[in-house]
Amino acid sequence: MGSLFRSEEMALCQLFLQSEAAYACVSELGELGLVQFRDLNPDVNAFQRKFVNEVRRCDEMERKLRYLEKEIKKDGIPMLDTGESPEAPQPREMIDLEATFEKLENELREVNQNAEALKRNFLELTELKHILRKTQVFFDEQEGGVNQTTESMTRALITDEARTAGASMGPVQLGYMEKSNEREDYLPCFVAGVILRERLPAFERMLWRACRGNVFLRQAMIETPLEDPTNGDQVHKSVFIIFFQGDQLKTRVKKICEGFRATLYPCPEAPADRREMAMGVMTRIEDLNTVLGQTQDHRHRVLVAAAKNLKNWFVKVRKIKAIYHTLNLFNLDVTQKCLIAECWVPLLDIETIQLALRRGTERSGSSVPPILNRMQTFENPPTYNRTNKFTKAFQALIDAYGVASYREMNPAPYTIITFPFLFAVMFGDLGHGAIMALFGLWMIRKEKGLAAQKTDNEIWNIFFGGRYIIFLMGVFSMYTGLIYNDIFSKSLNIFGSHWHLSYNKSTVMENKFLQLSPKGDYEGAPYPFGMDPIWQVAGANKIIFHNAYKMKISIIFGVIHMIFGVVMSWHNHTYFRNRISLLYEFIPQLIFLLLLFFYMVLLMFIKWIKFAATNKSKLLVPRHNGCCLMTPFSHLEPYNEACAPSILITFIDMVLFNTPKPHPEKCETYMFFGQHTIQVLFVLVAVGCIPVMLLAKPLLIMQARKQANVQPIAGATSDAEAGGMSNGGPHGGAGGHEEEEELSEIFIHQSIHTIEYVLGSVSHTASYLRLWALSLAHAQLAEVLWTMVLSIGLKQEGPVGGIVLTCVFAFWAILTVGILVLMEGLSAFLHTLRLHWVEFQSKFYKGQGYAFQPFSFDAIIENGAAAAEE
């Protein structure tokens, strides 16, 4: 848990492994996931490394597995996933895996090719069956004696020359005819085939134009869709038959059919031949159906057998590939018998890593133990914050802004409390918070089952990853909802009200502008918890009261939050022993913030405590004996509600050194004795902190360089020189030394930081007013939704009213969840994130490190599975 507050101490180690034991040792380290290897061959091409052939073999095996996976998903066969991760197989097992995958791929490809050929043959026979059935109608019409129609169709096919030459031929029969020695060019013939239905209109137009109207086309749709053997899609086709005369038209028609990818089939002219062919086609279709069924059963059995082991095969292949990729990062010594690696490891886990190396050596049968030596380095170690399933989401929020510098204070543990609390200040509603908390609690209770359901829905993955954040935001919103006494824009009357009416019922019902006086209508005792429920029904001054209350608490929380951020920088300066930053940055910053903005917070509390409507003051009246008599006067109340000063005006007068104007009602000008003197002193000291922050640190660094002439003295360096946030510091795993920063750059950086802090203190304080603005907007939106939607159903009576109320309630619930919970919740979440990233973390957090990315099989397999799904 200590690494959550500050990142783990890291060490750079050198690892010596025997060649025969390197594979097993790296496999054990991959299962452990605590070692980040460095590339010792950065200038070597990826194709020139030692284990490039093994990596290629793994790529080929992975390709075959993806092919099997695609075929399994195509058939809808479930793949067995036990959730267990098998160990990485030994190198000698790669041959068996390759042989298994090769056999499965070849067998499946052969089955697919045979099935495709059978389906193509089946499609051709099915199309021929439809041609024989559909064209039979045309020939039945001709054989039925419709000679007039036949004669007219024949005349349409004969040119003017043919009419003149063959006027004495009489009626012409459709179909293939006996060749005549005199006029064989003009004997009619036909072709039959099938074409895609969407191509038929264009096909018909092309025939008409290319053949100049000398063809006769008949077509009929095939009602049932046919399966395309290439891609398995269902396509709609039509049968057509084209009558024409002459070899020239025959060649032209066939070219057009080929251009439109129409399939032509032989169609006998004689009815007996057509019946005989149809019987043969049906027999062959039945035989093909039997063979196709057997082929599909065999394919299904192959895929079912492969589906049982596919997940484990993927894991094994990816582990082998990851191991050889890692081995390619190593160096070979001169004897070619030892592999040398460099890696970052957490200091606390060195013993665990050594045990893993020992297990790998024993598995490989090597007698030479591995050697793990710690190295001295000036490089910046990676940042490693050990997390669990609860803290992981909060750490991800911080890392999204920037990974912490090495051993820098980590904001994540404090964010666990401050993030949901500031969110709840904006989202405070008992009902809406309960909905959010129940949703988060449901995801927490069902997290094992939900985590097992792998999905690529990014929105759901974000919600599930932040389930603990959602639950805490809901719980804290329920608390602030109780404080605001707000549940779906209504209030809970738990303790009753401390306000009492002094008017009769008719006056209260008729006077819409009636206000209760705290002098006579309030008991004077504070409400036990939260707000008095009567404020929910106060029409005239409800918003005014909530405005003042929420605005002030937003400033109070904001100033406390920023002061806490400045105090966090003290931990960084003391840990890294940066004495100059501690004295001339932290202390002036804290004084500046306390004397101006925390003083403003104190004025708010003084105003709340000292000024009240029930306050009575006493006036000294001189008596005849020279003594004074304390006599109460109701008309002279210098600390009543009318005399309460504006905190904003008081703060502005304080900064501008203005004297407050006297109150016309004989009120006290100041809230306490010596206020003006204290305020002037505070402003002068705060302004005096600015040149200290601006000049002290650069001047001391310049003086230290002149004295040392080469190196700066300890503690008198800039963050970049001293390694401030970038080196291991006094407790880190690495020393730190970088090139000296130019003095001009130090002055510029310090000026930027000082101006950013001084101006940021004002803007950041104002930025916390978003707590007030969003809280007020959320409450008003909930009230509008209740008034304009749900109240419509509540006004109805009787059975019809129940139906209307049910419908209206459903609509109100949808709007409540969709707008007030989801959209308003997302808005409040983003504003809370900004308050932490900018207003809080800017006071102490650099975020200039890089994350620790260990060699871990779990991460590699998860990323590989995600990439495969995409």
Side-chain angles (χ1 to χ4, degrees):
M1 188 64 182
S3 65
L4 188 62
F5 293 93
R6 201 181 290 276
S7 61
E8 291 272 358
E9 292 189 41
M10 307 297 292
L12 182 64
C13 296
Q14 194 172 34
L15 180 61
F16 296 88
L17 298 173
Q18 288 297 113
S19 297
E20 61 272 12
Y23 182 93
C25 291
V26 172
S27 174
E28 290 291 336
L29 294 178
E31 298 289 351
L32 198 60
L34 290 173
V35 177
Q36 176 179 334
F37 292 100
R38 302 173 61 191
D39 190 1
L40 300 183
N41 308 297
D43 300 328
V44 179
N45 192 296
F47 301 101
Q48 297 176 347
R49 304 203 176 194
K50 179 175 176 58
F51 300 99
V52 64
N53 292 329
E54 286 78 1
V55 174
R56 286 176 176 172
R57 290 166 61 188
C58 292
D59 287 336
E60 182 64 18
M61 287 191 291
E62 201 169 5
R63 182 196 62 79
K64 294 174 182 177
L65 289 177
R66 285 196 298 268
Y67 172 72
L68 291 174
E69 184 182 27
K70 183 184 71 173
E71 296 296 323
I72 290 171
K73 288 182 178 179
K74 183 188 296 184
D75 283 17
I77 300 173
M79 290 179 285
L80 181 63
D81 188 4
T82 60
E84 299 178 356
S85 179
E87 294 183 354
Q90 295 298 320
R92 57 180 176 273
E93 297 181 27
M94 283 183 63
I95 301 175
D96 298 336
L97 290 175
E98 286 177 319
T100 302
F101 301 158
E102 183 73 21
K103 179 183 176 182
L104 284 173
E105 184 192 27
N106 292 338
E107 185 175 3
L108 191 58
R109 288 191 183 278
E110 184 178 356
V111 170
N112 288 341
Q113 290 174 0
N114 294 337
E116 185 178 350
L118 291 173
K119 287 181 179 179
R120 188 175 289 107
N121 197 359
F122 179 80
L123 176 65
E124 293 174 355
L125 291 175
T126 305
E127 291 177 347
L128 181 57
K129 177 188 72 175
H130 285 290
I131 286 176
L132 294 175
R133 287 181 180 179
K134 300 294 183 182
T135 56
Q136 182 64 35
V137 179
F138 307 144
F139 291 104
D140 287 344
E141 291 177 356
Q142 183 264 333
E143 291 174 358
V146 191
N147 294 330
Q148 185 176 359
T149 304
T150 304
E151 186 173 352
S152 62
M153 286 190 295
T154 306
R155 288 172 182 172
L157 296 173
I158 302 177
T159 59
D160 295 339
E161 184 182 353
R163 287 197 189 99
T164 306
S168 60
M169 292 176 60
V172 182
Q173 302 293 324
L174 293 177
Y176 290 105
M177 303 183 63
E178 300 278 340
K179 284 189 178 182
S180 171
N181 293 330
E182 297 178 357
R183 282 297 191 188
E184 67 177 16
D185 290 342
Y186 297 101
L187 297 180
C189 57
F190 68 92
V191 293
V194 294
I195 191 173
L196 289 175
R197 193 175 298 176
E198 58 269 18
R199 296 178 183 172
L200 190 59
F203 176 66
E204 189 173 358
R205 288 195 300 269
M206 181 60 70
L207 278 174
W208 179 263
R209 293 172 181 174
C211 300
R212 299 180 181 179
N214 294 320
V215 294
F216 184 75
L217 173 69
R218 294 291 300 273
Q219 56 91 12
M221 293 187 297
I222 301 175
E223 292 79 7
T224 58
L226 305 177
E227 181 182 355
D228 189 348
T230 305
N231 50 25
D233 295 339
Q234 297 293 324
V235 294
H236 296 272
K237 293 188 176 183
S238 296
V239 172
F240 66 87
I241 183 169
I242 306 172
F243 297 96
F244 52 84
Q245 280 187 326
D247 292 339
Q248 186 176 4
L249 282 181
K250 180 178 181 180
T251 304
R252 192 175 299 174
V253 167
K254 286 187 175 181
K255 286 184 178 180
I256 294 173
C257 291
E258 182 180 355
F260 280 86
R261 297 182 182 178
T263 308
L264 301 179
Y265 292 95
C267 183
E269 179 187 0
D273 294 341
R274 288 198 297 273
R275 284 194 294 270
E276 182 180 358
M277 178 178 285
M279 293 176 61
V281 167
M282 294 302 297
T283 304
R284 291 178 61 188
I285 287 177
E286 292 177 0
D287 296 340
L288 272 179
N289 276 328
T290 304
V291 177
L292 266 175
Q294 294 175 353
T295 305
Q296 292 295 336
D297 290 342
H298 177 63
R299 181 177 185 273
H300 186 77
R301 287 194 298 271
V302 172
L303 293 178
V304 168
K308 294 179 180 178
N309 301 312
L310 190 68
K311 293 290 185 181
N312 287 342
W313 285 340
F314 263 120
V315 172
K316 290 181 178 180
V317 171
R318 284 169 181 162
K319 284 187 176 182
I320 297 172
K321 184 179 178 181
I323 291 172
Y324 282 117
H325 263 302
T326 304
L327 290 175
N328 277 332
L329 305 178
F330 295 3
N331 260 342
L332 279 173
D333 69 340
V334 292
T335 62
Q336 300 288 319
K337 294 181 180 180
C338 180
L339 291 172
I340 305 172
E342 290 183 5
C343 55
W344 291 106
V345 299
L347 201 59
L348 297 177
D349 296 318
I350 289 182
E351 293 184 3
T352 306
I353 294 169
Q354 289 175 341
L355 289 175
L357 292 173
R358 196 172 299 120
R359 287 196 304 268
T361 305
E362 293 173 356
R363 281 179 52 193
S364 63
S366 176
S367 58
V368 180
I371 301 173
L372 185 67
N373 292 331
R374 186 175 175 184
M375 303 170 58
Q376 293 295 328
T377 180
F378 296 110
E379 295 186 23
N380 297 329
T383 301
Y384 175 45
N385 294 106
R386 210 183 299 268
T387 59
N388 52 33
K389 63 181 181 181
F390 174 72
T391 59
K392 182 179 180 181
F394 293 96
Q395 188 64 53
L397 289 179
I398 303 302
D399 292 342
Y401 174 79
V403 179
S405 302
Y406 180 64
R407 300 295 288 167
E408 184 181 14
M409 285 298 294
N410 185 19
Y414 315 102
T415 305
I416 295 174
I417 299 300
T418 59
F419 191 91
F421 178 74
L422 292 181
F423 171 87
V425 173
M426 292 183 277
F427 194 74
D429 189 291
L430 182 60
H432 302 153
I435 295 173
M436 186 175 293
L438 289 174
F439 177 61
L441 183 61
W442 173 76
M443 289 191 291
I444 293 172
R445 293 292 301 274
K446 303 289 184 182
E447 64 181 8
K448 291 185 179 179
L450 296 174
Q453 299 175 1
K454 304 292 185 180
T455 176
D456 55 352
N457 191 324
E458 292 186 8
I459 296 178
W460 167 253
N461 290 334
I462 292 173
F463 278 135
F464 182 71
R467 57 193 179 278
Y468 289 99
I469 299 179
I470 294 175
F471 174 70
L472 286 181
M473 290 192 304
V475 171
F476 277 72
S477 297
M478 293 172 65
Y479 167 74
T480 54
L482 287 173
I483 295 294
Y484 297 156
N485 204 350
D486 193 358
I487 172 171
F488 298 119
S489 78
K490 297 302 174 184
S491 61
L492 296 174
N493 193 0
I494 301 175
F495 304 102
S497 177
H498 284 197
W499 292 81
H500 302 284
L501 292 175
S502 58
Y503 306 95
N504 55 33
K505 184 177 179 180
S506 60
T507 304
V508 173
M509 298 300 294
E510 294 175 2
N511 193 342
K512 296 182 180 180
F513 301 99
L514 182 66
Q515 294 186 7
L516 300 180
S517 173
K519 293 181 180 180
D521 299 326
Y522 189 68
E523 291 182 357
Y527 200 70
F529 185 82
M531 288 188 180
D532 196 300
I534 201 171
W535 286 108
Q536 197 62 241
V537 296
N541 55 356
K542 170 187 173 182
I543 296 180
I544 298 175
F545 174 75
H546 284 181
N547 258 348
Y549 173 73
K550 294 181 178 180
M551 185 189 301
K552 288 181 175 63
I553 64 170
S554 65
I555 295 296
I556 293 170
F557 291 147
V559 172
I560 294 175
H561 201 211
M562 290 191 296
I563 291 174
F564 180 62
V566 175
V567 172
M568 292 284 288
S569 67
W570 171 75
H571 291 280
N572 281 330
H573 298 325
T574 54
Y575 179 83
F576 294 109
R577 298 179 182 175
N578 198 339
R579 184 170 172 270
I580 285 187
S581 295
L582 178 63
L583 295 177
Y584 301 104
E585 278 190 355
F586 165 71
I587 293 178
Q589 288 177 357
L590 186 61
I591 292 175
F592 182 85
L593 201 59
L594 289 176
L595 296 186
L596 292 182
F597 299 98
F598 187 72
Y599 172 73
M600 180 174 62
V601 171
L602 292 179
L603 290 180
M604 295 179 188
F605 283 97
I606 294 173
K607 178 181 177 180
W608 284 339
I609 295 171
K610 201 163 187 178
F611 294 88
T614 56
N615 284 349
K616 303 290 184 180
S617 65
K618 293 184 179 181
L619 182 64
L620 294 176
V621 180
R623 298 179 63 182
H624 64 278
N625 56 2
C627 298
C628 296
L629 175 66
M630 300 293 295
T631 305
F633 284 84
S634 60
H635 65 278
L636 187 58
E637 299 174 353
Y639 293 113
N640 63 5
E641 77 282 2
C643 295
S646 171
I647 301 299
L648 181 60
I649 299 300
T650 302
F651 185 74
I652 294 174
D653 289 339
M654 167 186 168
V655 175
L656 298 179
F657 301 105
N658 291 338
T659 302
K661 296 179 181 179
H663 202 278
E665 297 183 4
K666 299 182 180 180
C667 295
E668 291 288 345
T669 306
Y670 295 101
M671 288 188 282
F672 57 90
F673 177 76
Q675 179 180 353
H676 180 71
T677 305
I678 292 175
Q679 289 181 168
V680 171
L681 179 62
F682 282 0
V683 172
L684 292 177
V685 174
V687 172
C689 291
I690 297 176
V692 176
M693 290 187 286
L694 181 64
L695 301 173
K697 186 175 177 180
L699 292 176
L700 287 174
I701 292 174
M702 181 173 62
Q703 181 182 0
R705 288 187 179 179
K706 289 181 179 178
Q707 292 177 357
N709 197 15
V710 177
Q711 294 181 350
I713 62 174
T717 55
S718 66
D719 289 342
E721 285 180 301
M725 298 299 180
S726 59
N727 61 34
H731 311 287
H737 179 74
E738 299 181 7
E739 294 184 0
E740 291 184 356
E741 191 176 2
E742 294 291 338
L743 285 174
S744 59
E745 294 183 2
I746 295 175
F747 274 99
I748 292 174
H749 290 165
Q750 194 65 25
S751 302
I752 293 173
H753 293 161
T754 303
I755 295 171
E756 181 183 3
Y757 181 82
V758 173
L759 297 182
S761 298
V762 180
S763 62
H764 292 175
T765 304
S767 182
Y768 278 94
L769 289 175
R770 68 185 70 237
L771 299 174
W772 152 65
L774 266 74
S775 175
L776 193 66
H778 183 83
Q780 292 302 308
L781 189 59
E783 184 174 356
V784 168
L785 195 62
W786 182 286
T787 305
M788 301 187 65
V789 178
L790 194 58
S791 61
I792 298 175
L794 295 174
K795 293 177 182 178
Q796 305 295 327
E797 297 180 357
V800 177
I803 298 174
V804 172
L805 180 60
T806 303
C807 299
V808 170
F809 177 79
F811 183 61
W812 174 82
I814 293 173
L815 292 180
T816 297
V817 174
I819 297 177
L820 293 179
V821 177
L822 288 179
M823 294 180 62
E824 283 283 318
L826 179 60
S827 175
F829 178 89
L830 294 177
H831 283 284
T832 309
L833 195 63
R834 181 246 155 78
L835 290 178
H836 280 79
W837 280 359
V838 179
E839 278 73 24
F840 174 58
Q841 292 177 195
S842 63
K843 303 296 186 294
F844 69 97
Y845 188 69
K846 301 293 183 182
Q848 297 175 352
Y850 63 100
F852 177 61
Q853 296 177 341
F855 171 61
S856 173
F857 284 145
D858 292 339
I860 291 171
I861 293 170
E862 184 178 353
N863 295 336
E869 290 178 0
E870 291 177 0

